[in-house]
Structure formats: structure tokens, C-alpha cells
Amino acid sequence: MNILGNLLSPSSQPPRVKKQRRGVEIKSQREIEIMRQAARIVATVLKEISEMVEPGMTTADLDAHAEKRIREMGATPSFKGYHGFPASICSSINNEVVHGIPSRKKVIRAGDVLKVDTGAYYEGFHGDSCITIGVVEVTPDAAKLIRVAEEALYKGIEQVKAGNYLLDIAGAIEDHVKANSFCVVEDFTGHGVGRNLHEEPSVFNFRTREMPNVKLRAGMTLAIEPILNAGSRFTKILSDKWTAVTVDNALSAQFEHTVLVTEDGYEILTDRTKV
């Protein structure tokens, strides 16, 4: 889940950046092992959703499945009740950028670009991840947007290791997105994750001097989550006070992993290929 400010009230348009208020937590080996379990639950749920989505389902169907499975695996949904959010997943379709609220009125159709973001809280720690699904056969332009968004995530992750900096991640993401003629949404950022769903530091997807360029240390756990728009980078919040949409009705795509910083690289905790 990607709420800029990480602790903002959802009742208003998010501010562009958030202030650093606390230090960055370094997780112990015990805490990392718990986070592996929380992240595995998230990865399992997203893998299942990616395999079950089909036209005619509603986003409420996906939410019900996610909550059921998260609880069956001994965790609780991170998102449900978070600042009043009413569901266990964010489900955002086509021009919806982030924080879409599941509904029985939202029917999934062939050709949709569907973002599904979820989190699990397990024994005191959170895992957080997002995927974008091209439902059945999407247009070539939509397929490219989805592909580049996922590639951008991994370009950022490749920069993760102790001694590198947050802006190494941001620069790698931004360069790949721009090289493919898309734009990075700047209204939302990634974040630290652990005891809290949103922790320090903010993990930008574009170069900026507005935040400290934090040096990465082994034991940091980061939610890296680039969001790409096919048109304008600007967004607006709908009347539900949650759903962000593109201002020009263009498509949007997002991918997110919870990533552990190690001495010589990284570990993708929410890796769906390992569940």
C-alpha cells in the first residue's frame, strides 16, 4: 500500500513528500525471519489472485479471497481498517492509479489493467506487495506499460545492497521508465516496512533533493513500488477519499516487492516464484 506521507489522513489530497521523523529500523535476524513469513503469505495470495482472475469476477471477489487466505495462514490483513480503509486489498483498474476500493459493482473485464496490492500482518510484522495483471488479452500499449513497470521494479531492486543509496534505486527506475516513454507518478512513493506498514525511509522512484539520500544498510526492509502512467504523471483523488486516478484518463501500472537489504545485495521477501 502506497500512501504518501505514510501516516496521512485519507480525507484530503496527499502532500507531495513526507518529512523524515524517525530513524530507519535495522531488523534483527529473528525479525527478518518473521518478515519472511509475512511476505510469503502476501506472495502466496497475490500468486493465487493472478491465477484466478477472469472476466466477470468483481474486485470484491478478489478481496474476499485475499482476506480468507491471509487469515487461514495465521495473519491478519494489513490494509483492512488502516486509516479507515475498508478492505484487505487495493484493487485499481485501468486509469485508477492506487488505493482502489474493492466493490461488487466493479466487474473485471477482458482487456483491463488490474492492479492488486495487499499486505499481511504476522507476529508483529508486515509484508507488502503489488502486481499488475493484464486481464485476458490487453492492447499492445497496455502490455508494454505493464512490462516496463515490472522491469522498472527490478531495475530498482538491482541497486539494493549495503553501501548504495536510495537515489541509486530512484535513478535506475526513473531512467528505465523515461527510456520507454512513460512517466513516473511522483505523488506516491515506496517506504520502509516492518513493525509498521509504513516506516522510514521514503523510497522515491525518481531523483529528488527533497528528501535525505539515505545510505542503505544490511537489515533494512524496503517496499519498492514504481507506479507508471501512460500519459500525464499527475493524479487526483476521487470522492471516496482513497482512489487516485490519472488526470487524463490514461492507463497506470504498478509493481511492488518487500525487499531486504543484505551486505552484498538483496533478498526479495515477496518473491511469488518461491511459493
Side-chain angles (χ1 to χ4, degrees):
M1 189 179 225
N2 189 326
I3 300 178
L4 187 61
N6 297 342
L7 298 175
L8 82 101
S9 165
S11 62
S12 61
Q13 171 73 30
R16 185 159 175 248
V17 299
K18 96 181 178 62
K19 301 295 185 181
Q20 297 276 4
R21 290 187 292 271
R22 301 179 301 277
V24 178
E25 285 196 3
I26 304 299
K27 275 66 175 184
S28 68
Q29 287 303 310
R30 173 186 168 276
E31 292 167 344
I32 290 168
E33 185 53 40
I34 295 172
M35 285 198 66
R36 285 192 181 104
Q37 298 306 312
R40 178 176 288 272
I41 292 168
V42 172
T44 299
V45 170
L46 289 180
K47 184 177 181 180
E48 291 175 356
I49 286 175
S50 71
E51 294 170 348
M52 68 184 281
V53 167
E54 61 182 22
M57 300 182 73
T58 70
T59 53
D61 295 330
L62 303 183
D63 182 64
H65 178 83
E67 179 167 2
K68 176 176 179 289
R69 293 291 288 127
I70 289 169
R71 295 189 186 280
E72 284 178 348
M73 288 183 277
T76 56
S78 297
F79 295 2
K80 194 164 189 178
Y82 186 71
H83 293 286
F85 191 76
S88 298
I89 66 169
C90 297
S91 54
S92 308
I93 298 177
N94 296 331
N95 69 320
E96 296 174 342
V97 179
V98 291
H99 305 156
I101 299 174
S103 169
R104 297 203 176 278
K105 296 180 180 179
K106 285 189 176 181
V107 179
I108 298 165
R109 295 179 169 83
D112 279 347
V113 175
L114 169 66
K115 283 78 69 179
V116 180
D117 190 355
T118 195
Y121 183 65
Y122 178 79
E123 294 188 2
F125 289 86
H126 296 269
D128 188 7
S129 187
C130 178
I131 58 174
T132 296
I133 302 165
V135 181
V136 189
E137 187 174 349
V138 299
T139 67
D141 287 344
K144 180 182 177 183
L145 177 69
I146 294 169
R147 173 178 59 79
V148 173
E150 187 167 23
E151 290 172 350
L153 170 62
Y154 286 101
K155 292 290 185 182
I157 290 173
E158 287 170 4
Q159 298 301 312
V160 174
K161 69 175 181 179
N164 277 8
Y165 289 83
L166 285 178
L167 289 187
D168 294 324
I169 300 171
I173 291 171
E174 182 178 32
D175 289 347
H176 188 68
V177 173
K178 287 185 174 180
N180 285 277
S181 302
F182 296 119
C183 65
V184 174
V185 173
E186 297 183 9
D187 290 333
F188 305 94
T189 74
H191 51 90
V193 60
R195 296 179 192 278
N196 300 295
L197 182 57
H198 295 95
E199 299 180 346
E200 302 296 352
S202 292
V203 182
F204 280 77
N205 301 308
F206 59 97
R207 294 177 180 88
T208 178
R209 294 183 179 179
E210 295 185 56
M211 299 293 289
N213 188 15
V214 174
K215 188 175 184 178
L216 302 181
R217 297 168 56 196
M220 289 182 180
T221 45
L222 308 174
I224 302 172
E225 47 183 322
I227 307 172
L228 283 59
N229 285 353
S232 169
R233 68 175 174 83
F234 294 103
T235 68
K236 62 182 179 181
I237 307 297
L238 298 183
S239 59
D240 64 14
K241 307 300 183 183
W242 279 103
T243 308
V245 300
T246 57
V247 296
D248 55 3
N249 206 41
L251 295 176
S252 185
Q254 177 191 7
F255 282 88
E256 174 187 19
H257 272 311
T258 295
V259 180
L260 169 68
V261 182
T262 66
E263 289 291 352
D264 57 356
Y266 58 85
E267 178 183 345
I268 301 175
L269 301 183
T270 47
D271 188 346
R272 296 180 300 282
T273 68
K274 295 182 178 179
V275 299

